[in-house]
Amino acid sequence: ILSIKANMAEIKSNVAIIMYQKEQYKIEESEKNINLAVNETEKYIADYEKSPMTEKEISAWKDFNDSLGKYKEIREKVVKTVKAENLAEAQMQYVQMVPLQTRMMDSLDKVIDINLSQAKSADENIYSTYKNANMTIYILTFVGFIIAILFGILMSRNINVPLKNIKKFAERLSLYDFS
């Protein structure tokens, strides 16, 4: 979304350059930059439209797309009018682009705000899950240590009792008690 917004600003600045440029090669260079930015923006838009959206996001995105269609038409008219060297008409058309540009940027800002809100909510959910998992790990570690200690005590008794019996038997043997 931020890339789309940046490209839209770049397109606007290149259109402004075309409006006030007298040298043909600079106009052609700006037009080339506009076309590159438009192609890149269309790729970003296509990628974004593949992602799942909420109802609010769909509404804001629709506003953006509606404005974008009108904006493209006027932008193309401005470039053609400048090439035809009718600057007065081009300036009038350029003035019509400004509110559309503002509306598109506002729509993109709404989409960004919605995405930030969703990201914040997801981050809070992830953090909560992390805290719960951390607590579970601590509890299971503590329980594991307790079980290990109890198992160790049990094993030592199972080993010590036969050893004590062997010791008693050896002591009796040393006293020549073979019973």
Side-chain angles (χ1 to χ4, degrees), residues 56-102:
K56 286 182 181 179
E57 203 172 353
I58 290 170
S59 173
W61 191 251
K62 185 179 180 315
D63 287 345
F64 168 75
N65 275 327
D66 291 345
S67 298
L68 180 62
K70 294 172 189 170
Y71 180 82
K72 283 180 183 179
E73 289 175 26
I74 295 173
R75 184 193 71 231
E76 290 169 0
K77 286 179 186 176
V78 168
V79 173
K80 286 179 185 176
T81 309
V82 168
K83 284 184 173 182
E85 297 182 9
N86 187 352
L87 296 179
E89 178 69 24
Q91 286 178 338
M92 289 189 328
Q93 291 170 347
Y94 183 77
V95 169
Q96 293 175 0
M97 283 177 51
V98 175
L100 288 172
Q101 175 83 17
T102 303

Side-chain angles (χ1 to χ4, degrees), residues 123-141:
D123 184 51
E124 289 170 357
N125 289 340
I126 290 170
Y127 183 70
S128 173
T129 302
Y130 166 76
K131 284 177 61 176
N132 290 339
N134 230 6
M135 184 56 72
T136 302
I137 289 171
Y138 289 142
I139 290 170
L140 290 176
T141 302

Side-chain angles (χ1 to χ4, degrees), residues 104-171:
M104 285 188 316
M105 292 302 182
D106 289 346
S107 297
L108 287 175
D109 286 339
K110 285 179 189 176
V111 172
I112 289 169
D113 289 343
I114 291 166
N115 282 319
L116 285 174
S117 171
Q118 290 172 345
K120 185 178 179 183
S121 175
D123 184 51
E124 289 170 357
N125 289 340
I126 290 170
Y127 183 70
S128 173
T129 302
Y130 166 76
K131 284 177 61 176
N132 290 339
N134 230 6
M135 184 56 72
T136 302
I137 289 171
Y138 289 142
I139 290 170
L140 290 176
T141 302
F142 180 74
V143 169
F145 278 132
I146 298 297
I147 290 172
I149 290 170
L150 292 175
F151 187 71
I153 291 171
L154 225 126
M155 290 298 288
S156 69
R157 283 188 181 173
N158 286 341
I159 292 173
N160 282 338
V161 170
L163 286 176
K164 285 181 184 178
N165 289 340
I166 291 172
K167 180 182 171 189
K168 286 180 187 176
F169 182 72
E171 286 173 356

